[in-house]
Amino acid sequence: MLSRKVAAQLKELETPFYLYDINLLRQTLESVSSESKKYGYKVHYAIKANNDDYLLSIIKEYGIGIDCASGNEVRKAIESGFAADTVVYAGVGKRDKEIRYAIEQGILAINCESIEELQVVNQIAGEMGKKADVGLRVNPDIDPKTNRCIDTGQADSKFGISYDEILEEAELIKSLENINIIGIHIHIGSQIRELHVFENMCNKANAIVEKLESLGFKFRIVDVGGGLGINYDVPENEPIPNFASLFAIVHEYLNVGDKEVHFEFGRSIVGECGELITSVLYNKTTATGRRLLIIDASMTELIRPMLYGSYHNIENITSQEEVCKKYTVVGTACESTDVFDENVSLKKSKRGDLLAIKSAGAYGRSMASQYNMHDLPRGVYSDQLCEK
Ligand SMILES: Cc1ncc(COP(=O)(O)O)c(C=O)c1O
């Protein structure tokens, strides 16, 4: 773990901040690039996971495209130098100006999530005198066996168009003159660790593609989204996620002929390379005997534990103590739910010690807020620290 190795240098820096292990990011990118090339798969990075400029500049070196969830993310991708024809854009609530911008830029696919959205894209493209390339985001009704807060492919989810509705509206969809339906898009959820779930997804995708093509659709692309999970429990055991296994499963189970197969990875690309480094401010014990460790980060820097109940491994990287104690690690924000974890076993911790909250590279800094007028956390990059 990088922060442990460079703890002495980190002591000089004002906390809290995100520390990025650039070597690990590069190794991860090398893995996803080389494994995907074996099958000719195309990879997009889900920029929502982390839109840090320096990380994006490195990701770009690996010839990866971008997956976006808003017009501003599309803009960020384009302004960061990613080619428009490698950019895909999903989201249930695209605003007109966002759709207009995506059409203007000529991105690879606007992945539409309702029949009404298809009609709006069709209308806007018509007004612009253009034809928009569109993917149908299908809700495949699959349980991805992950945290309920981050599953997106079950029948009741707000994401995607139900398969039945696509079948019912097939003629209407085909009649929309200003859109090219170039593919289907499926994303079943995030932090998926039971990889057999992807077998179900492929089986569903096969059936959906076959049925829709029998109705006259002709697809060039099958985009199966992201979702590959990382090891939050013991990140040291698995710093690079198992892209090879996922691709092997998709290769075995997805039967869509010579269509392009696309992936949209967020967490699996940047999750493990980032740690939130924070200082211990105070120790105190509640009247009920709960030992609190109050740190200078909060839900404003990393909201996942408070939002989803997510677990992040925490380590005191500077304490010289032999003894471990159990702490409830709480932040500075004026909210009772601002708790990183309960009963965390840490080396005895005192004011000024540094803690690393691990596996925080994805959905950490990009979800940061300025609640309580906190400053937004900055990034510190391993290759820019003095000792490498
Ligand atoms: C449509 C879409 N694609 C890709 C992703 C990236 O998912 P992950 O970070 O789990 O790979 C998400 C995450 O929310 C998403 O909504």
Side-chain angles (χ1 to χ4, degrees):
M1 191 185 55
L2 177 73
S3 61
R4 206 186 294 139
K5 288 191 209 136
V6 297
Q9 286 180 71
L10 301 181
K11 276 240 162 211
E12 311 294 313
L13 305 173
E14 186 183 342
T15 53
F17 59 85
Y18 276 91
L19 174 68
Y20 295 110
D21 183 339
I22 298 302
N23 272 340
L24 179 57
L25 174 63
R26 286 191 181 280
Q27 286 166 10
T28 307
L29 287 162
E30 261 149 39
S31 171
V32 71
S33 304
S34 60
E35 295 299 335
S36 60
K37 275 197 190 104
K38 288 181 185 163
Y39 306 101
Y41 293 159
K42 313 247 183 210
V43 173
H44 305 259
Y45 166 61
I47 194 171
K48 63 181 80 82
N50 192 322
N51 56 38
D52 177 275
D53 287 329
Y54 186 49
L55 300 194
L56 286 177
S57 73
I58 294 169
I59 290 167
K60 196 174 56 184
E61 288 175 30
Y62 291 79
I64 284 171
I66 295 284
D67 162 53
C68 304
S70 73
N72 282 350
E73 286 188 356
V74 176
R75 189 178 302 278
K76 181 79 181 178
I78 304 281
E79 288 178 359
S80 303
F82 290 87
D85 64 1
T86 66
V87 173
V88 293
Y89 173 20
V92 292
K94 302 182 191 75
R95 300 169 185 88
D96 292 16
K97 71 171 184 183
E98 296 177 304
I99 293 170
R100 207 167 287 119
Y101 179 70
I103 296 174
E104 198 176 277
Q105 294 301 317
I107 67 167
L108 176 62
I110 301 176
N111 289 321
C112 288
E113 307 218 15
S114 63
I115 303 297
E116 198 166 8
E117 184 192 339
L118 285 164
Q119 292 170 308
V120 169
V121 173
N122 181 62
Q123 187 198 324
I124 292 175
E127 286 162 9
M128 295 172 72
K130 299 209 174 205
K131 222 163 171 180
D133 286 337
V134 159
L136 294 176
R137 180 165 181 178
V138 188
N139 179 314
D141 189 15
I142 285 180
D143 179 357
K145 310 253 188 272
T146 184
N147 183 329
R148 191 73 181 90
C149 303
I150 50 175
D151 84 31
T152 56
Q154 301 218 51
D156 194 37
S157 157
K158 74 171 179 175
F159 296 100
I161 315 175
S162 85
Y163 178 45
D164 288 345
E165 195 179 9
I166 294 181
L167 295 184
E168 279 159 27
E169 303 293 352
E171 291 311 312
L172 184 153
I173 299 170
K174 283 191 289 174
S175 75
L176 300 172
E177 289 179 338
N178 307 313
I179 59 178
N180 294 318
I181 310 280
I182 62 161
I184 66 151
H185 174 237
I186 293 176
H187 171 73
I188 57 175
S190 203
Q191 186 49 18
I192 298 169
R193 296 282 286 166
E194 295 186 35
L195 293 193
H196 63 88
V197 163
F198 290 107
E199 300 174 10
N200 302 343
M201 178 196 70
C202 292
N203 291 333
K204 280 271 168 87
N206 295 340
I208 292 168
V209 168
E210 191 183 336
K211 178 71 184 171
L212 292 181
E213 291 207 322
S214 78
L215 295 177
F217 290 94
K218 186 87 195 89
F219 302 128
R220 175 163 63 88
I221 288 176
V222 175
D223 181 341
V224 294
L228 180 62
I230 63 174
N231 190 339
Y232 283 101
D233 295 332
V234 196
E236 291 82 356
N237 284 356
E238 200 185 335
I240 300 176
N242 197 344
F243 295 106
S245 292
L246 172 57
F247 292 143
I249 288 173
V250 172
H251 180 67
E252 185 176 347
Y253 287 88
L254 191 69
N255 285 312
V256 291
D258 58 1
K259 296 186 196 338
E260 288 173 21
V261 179
H262 292 239
F263 293 81
E264 304 168 345
F265 297 122
R267 187 186 312 272
S268 50
I269 291 182
V270 292
E272 294 293 17
C273 76
E275 296 170 78
L276 177 60
I277 308 298
T278 166
S279 301
V280 173
L281 289 175
Y282 307 108
N283 271 275
K284 83 171 171 188
T285 306
T286 64
T288 56
R290 202 154 62 118
R291 187 184 293 119
L292 304 182
L293 197 63
I294 303 166
I295 59 174
D296 69 356
S298 75
M299 60 194 280
T300 60
E301 284 76 31
L302 179 64
I303 199 172
R304 296 185 69 258
M306 304 79 183
L307 189 63
Y308 306 142
S310 322
Y311 172 78
H312 285 264
N313 192 296
I314 305 178
E315 184 175 330
N316 186 324
I317 53 170
T318 54
S319 172
Q320 303 300 323
E321 302 277 349
E322 297 292 322
V323 188
C324 283
K325 286 189 177 280
K326 296 262 178 160
Y327 296 96
T328 295
V329 179
V330 303
T332 56
C334 192
E335 292 293 328
S336 298
T337 54
D338 186 30
V339 176
F340 284 95
D341 203 359
E342 313 259 356
N343 273 322
V344 190
S345 181
L346 294 173
K347 284 187 192 162
K348 192 171 169 219
S349 300
K350 61 173 189 319
R351 180 171 168 79
D353 284 352
L354 290 185
L355 303 191
I357 304 182
K358 301 179 207 171
S359 316
Y363 308 108
R365 195 147 148 243
S366 58
M367 284 194 184
S369 79
Q370 291 197 294
Y371 177 57
N372 291 162
M373 294 187 75
H374 286 182
D375 294 329
L376 289 173
R378 73 188 198 292
V380 171
Y381 310 92
S382 59
D383 57 350
Q384 291 166 12
L385 290 170
C386 327
E387 279 171 37
K388 294 190 187 124

